[in-house]
Amino acid sequence: MMTPHDKSTFLASAFPDFFQKMPVACVVVDRSRHIQAMNAAAEQFFAGRKDAAAEAEFTFGRAFLCHIALNSSYACGFDQACRACPVRRMIEEAYEKASSFSRVPVELRRAGQEEKDYLASAYAQQLGKEKYVILWLEHTFKAIEKVIQEREAVLRGLLNANPESVFLMDRDGIILAVNETTARRLGVAAVQMVGTSAYKYLPSDIAESRKKQVHEAVSAKRAVQFEDMRSGIYMDHRIVPMMNAEGAVTSLAVLGIDITERKRIEDALLESVQFNKQIIQNAEDGIVVYDSDLKYLVWNPAMEKISGVVASDVLGKYPLDIFPFLQETGVFSGLQKTLKGDPQEPVEFPLFRKHRGKTIWVSDARAPLKNTQGGIIGVIGVVRDITERKEAEMRLRESEERVRSIVDNAPDFILTTDQDGKVLSVNRNLSQYSCAQILGKKFSELIYPADRVLVRAAMQQAFQEQSAGCEVRAKPRGKNIFWYSIRIGSIRIEQVVIGTTMIMKDITERKHSEMKLQEQQQALESASRKLKMFSQELLAIREEEKKRIAIDLHDETGSMAVALSAGLSMIENDVKSQDQQGALKNIHKTKTMLKSNVAVLKRIAEDLRPPNLDIVGLTGVLRAYFSAINERGELVIRFSVRGREKELQEDVAIALYRITQEVITNVIKHAHAGNVSVELDHRQGGLKYVFSDDGQGFDPQRIAHGSRRLKLGLQGIKERVEALKGTLIIESVRRKGTTLKVVLPPPRRNAKAGRFRL
């Protein structure tokens, strides 16, 4: 029996402060159900339900807890009804099962009063040598109970909604609660599993292993985690001890997570890691990986071969500590920028390998190393030995320089274009265009518009047959036009045309020569046609001359022969008749007649070629020729010579004589002139021969429509003058006469002079 002083001591030791302040009624009873202590809420609770008769029963150590019963009495003692009280049974069970917790609903009412609902909870606790039951009452209503039930249903739903296996068991393995996932995996209904042993659903060997793991969790008071595989399914298990306020394990929560897919991913990841590792180890290029501090993490065998440094000497070390030259080459600064996420171009630099005493060229390409979230955690680099490429580039550069030297010094123009005809390179200025004006332009824009179709056709042919050519004119920028012979070849890569090469040769002089030759040929053809016509006309004139000469000879010689024959007959008759006077007279007539006929024959011969030209020269022959015409009264010719007489070559003298004959003949037959002035002037170094008449004149532009004899005569004069490298000038006005001038250049120094004189 406790005294009030013992009560306060007991409360101070057994009841912490927070129990005293709990809002629910809380009492401590002994095995005989006597109240030994209560908190303030309990005192208030019982004070509201005791009457005067039962006042003494609420004193400590004397009151029974049968007041909380199913009957209407607050103090009933140990009667039959009290033995059926659920609170009594709950207290007795709490003493039988150490550290157990139980809860039962009870109803407390007074006669004539409203029914009240309470929830009684009991918990056995060892306090010193005695065991007591701590019991507390919670005032509840049916609405609150409904809320609790709803919350329990929600929690049960959450438990079943968990896609993994979850169940709660006590320390002996009895299942207290289980979700649908666990039941489905085991093939048993959830309601059937509650209250059964969890070990019965496991093979015996696994069940024994689980018991050990449960014991480990209870003993260590910490969660135990392990994995196993059954029927091809990997599971991750966790056994979590559930402890009360004193830290004692009262139950265990068991969670089973299906990690089959995770295992598959992990195996695939491991396989990928192994695959990548094999790639790194067997790669021909050097592979280097740096961490976030730019220290070496990976240095593959190819890198050892390239650098001559083994991985053990570099892993975990700073790059500049091993290779100081990386600072000068810009590799290290590139690593720092790459680590910040800045993209970097590959760096090429020479690397000296000490173990071989040889310098090689390497290319270092870098990229950020990122984690699954995209964060940069380092740098990965690929180092490649490019020595062969560099040597090939050097040889190619030397070859290009040689080719460039050949191209730059080539006499022809050499240029390249792309597939669209745009000029990519040119070795020199093209006619009036500089290299700067040519580069980037379409080649056809440099060509004379009328010739561009030839260039396009040649390029198309080159695309198909690899080679073509044409001759075109460059588009003029000034007065001059340049001609070029173009040879076009296609540039192909793997049979795909990517452009053209053009070799252009300046053929301007050749073209000018060809055009001159063509003009000369045309002139020659024209002259040939004219010569042919002239020859035909000349033959006709010759036939006419022959006919005239034949007629003259026939008429003159015929009449002379008849006259001589008649005269001789008369002389013969006079001799026979011995008429001496008559014979002498007829002889004199015959002699006169013969002399006249001889003069006619002489004139005919002189018309063919003057016999005295070889003796007296051109001037003397001309004087005799003009005097004969004057004597016949056909014309009045005044002939004058100016300057000092010169010796002429034979062909020049004959040509001038024939020109004189042709001019005088034309004057007599066509001009109807009475006077002709002829002047031979050699004072200017050359020779000027001028004929002027007072005839009817003519239009020189309409000479082609004149008489055939006049046209051929003037044509003959012109050709003779041109043969002497001279110039023929004809000035004529109708009814005002005509002037004809022949101007000959000075004789050449090396020309052999004839013996004719002017």
Side-chain angles (χ1 to χ4, degrees), residues 306-309 323 325 349-362:
I306 291 173
S307 65
V309 181
F323 308 106
F325 62 86
F349 59 92
L351 174 65
F352 180 72
R353 296 192 291 188
K354 294 182 179 180
H355 66 295
R356 293 189 179 181
K358 181 181 179 181
T359 299
I360 64 173
W361 276 88
V362 296

Side-chain angles (χ1 to χ4, degrees), residues 533-549 662 669 708-716:
M533 293 175 59
F534 181 72
S535 297
Q536 293 175 350
E537 297 290 343
L538 185 60
L539 289 175
I541 292 173
R542 284 180 178 177
E543 290 299 325
E544 290 181 1
E545 288 295 320
K546 289 179 181 180
K547 181 179 179 181
R548 182 182 63 80
I549 293 171
E662 189 64 38
K669 291 186 176 182
R708 177 167 166 266
R709 180 67 182 79
L710 174 62
K711 180 174 66 175
L712 290 176
L714 292 176
Q715 182 65 28

Side-chain angles (χ1 to χ4, degrees), residues 302-516:
M303 197 64 210
E304 293 180 344
K305 181 179 178 182
I306 291 173
S307 65
V309 181
V310 296
S312 59
D313 292 341
V314 299
L315 294 180
K317 296 182 180 179
Y318 204 55
L320 296 181
D321 295 339
I322 310 298
F323 308 106
F325 62 86
L326 294 180
Q327 186 73 51
E328 300 175 3
T329 58
V331 173
F332 186 73
S333 61
L335 287 172
Q336 293 175 319
K337 293 178 181 178
T338 303
L339 189 61
K340 295 178 181 178
D342 296 336
Q344 299 293 309
E345 294 293 329
V347 178
E348 297 178 355
F349 59 92
L351 174 65
F352 180 72
R353 296 192 291 188
K354 294 182 179 180
H355 66 295
R356 293 189 179 181
K358 181 181 179 181
T359 299
I360 64 173
W361 276 88
V362 296
S363 170
D364 182 14
R366 300 163 303 280
L369 181 64
K370 299 181 179 180
N371 57 20
T372 54
Q373 288 76 34
I376 298 177
I377 59 174
V379 177
I380 183 169
V382 178
V383 180
R384 178 172 297 173
D385 186 345
I386 58 171
T387 305
E388 291 186 2
R389 194 200 78 191
K390 279 290 184 179
E391 292 175 350
E393 288 177 354
M394 188 176 298
R395 291 193 297 270
L396 178 61
R397 189 161 48 250
E398 292 174 354
S399 176
E400 287 178 346
E401 289 176 356
R402 288 195 296 269
V403 172
R404 174 57 60 186
S405 177
I406 294 173
V407 170
D408 290 342
N409 293 285
D412 299 331
F413 301 96
I414 301 175
L415 54 83
T416 60
T417 71
D418 61 14
Q419 193 174 7
D420 296 327
K422 186 180 294 183
V423 179
L424 302 178
S425 66
V426 62
N427 66 333
R428 62 177 58 200
N429 297 341
L430 181 65
S431 62
Q432 308 103 318
Y433 297 94
S434 65
C435 293
Q437 293 171 327
I438 296 173
L439 292 175
K441 283 186 173 291
K442 280 200 172 185
F443 179 73
S444 59
E445 295 178 4
L446 306 174
I447 302 302
Y448 199 77
D451 295 345
R452 290 173 184 172
V453 63
L454 300 176
V455 174
R456 286 193 290 267
M459 291 184 71
Q460 290 297 325
Q461 184 180 353
F463 289 160
Q464 298 174 1
E465 302 179 7
Q466 297 187 351
S467 180
C470 61
E471 293 182 354
V472 297
R473 291 164 290 180
K475 183 179 178 181
R477 300 189 66 196
K479 296 182 179 180
N480 298 327
I481 295 180
F482 293 85
W483 279 86
Y484 293 95
S485 172
I486 305 177
R487 196 66 190 171
I488 305 176
S490 60
I491 302 174
R492 299 172 183 262
I493 296 180
E494 296 181 355
Q495 301 303 316
V496 177
V497 177
I498 64 169
T500 62
T501 299
M502 298 186 183
I503 300 177
M504 303 176 61
K505 186 175 183 179
D506 190 339
I507 59 172
T508 305
E509 292 185 4
R510 194 199 79 190
K511 277 292 184 179
H512 288 170
S513 299
E514 288 179 353
M515 286 188 288
K516 289 181 180 179

Side-chain angles (χ1 to χ4, degrees), residues 697-755:
F698 63 92
D699 185 359
Q701 301 299 327
R702 299 174 60 85
I703 190 65
H705 301 289
S707 67
R708 177 167 166 266
R709 180 67 182 79
L710 174 62
K711 180 174 66 175
L712 290 176
L714 292 176
Q715 182 65 28
I717 294 172
K718 180 180 178 182
E719 291 180 358
R720 290 182 187 276
V721 172
E722 289 176 352
L724 298 176
K725 307 298 181 183
T727 303
L728 176 64
I729 302 172
I730 299 176
E731 299 172 351
S732 181
V733 179
R734 286 188 176 277
R735 293 184 296 276
K736 291 185 178 182
T738 301
T739 298
L740 185 146
K741 298 178 182 179
V742 176
V743 181
L744 300 181
R748 292 173 297 175
R749 293 182 180 181
N750 57 353
K752 185 178 179 181
R755 53 181 177 172

Side-chain angles (χ1 to χ4, degrees), residues 127-143:
L127 296 175
K129 296 181 180 181
E130 298 294 332
K131 180 184 289 189
Y132 297 92
V133 173
I134 302 171
L135 184 142
W136 60 90
L137 298 173
E138 298 176 72
H139 184 193
T140 183
F141 300 91
K142 291 186 180 295

Side-chain angles (χ1 to χ4, degrees), residues 2-12:
M2 287 187 181
T3 65
H5 180 269
D6 294 334
K7 171 188 174 184
S8 61
T9 303
F10 180 81
L11 289 173

Side-chain angles (χ1 to χ4, degrees), residues 10 157 175 285 342 442 518 531 568 631 648 651 688:
F10 180 81
I175 298 174
D285 293 334
D342 296 336
K442 280 200 172 185
Q518 185 176 6
L531 181 60
L568 290 174
E631 290 178 359
L648 298 176
D651 56 341
K688 182 162 58 174

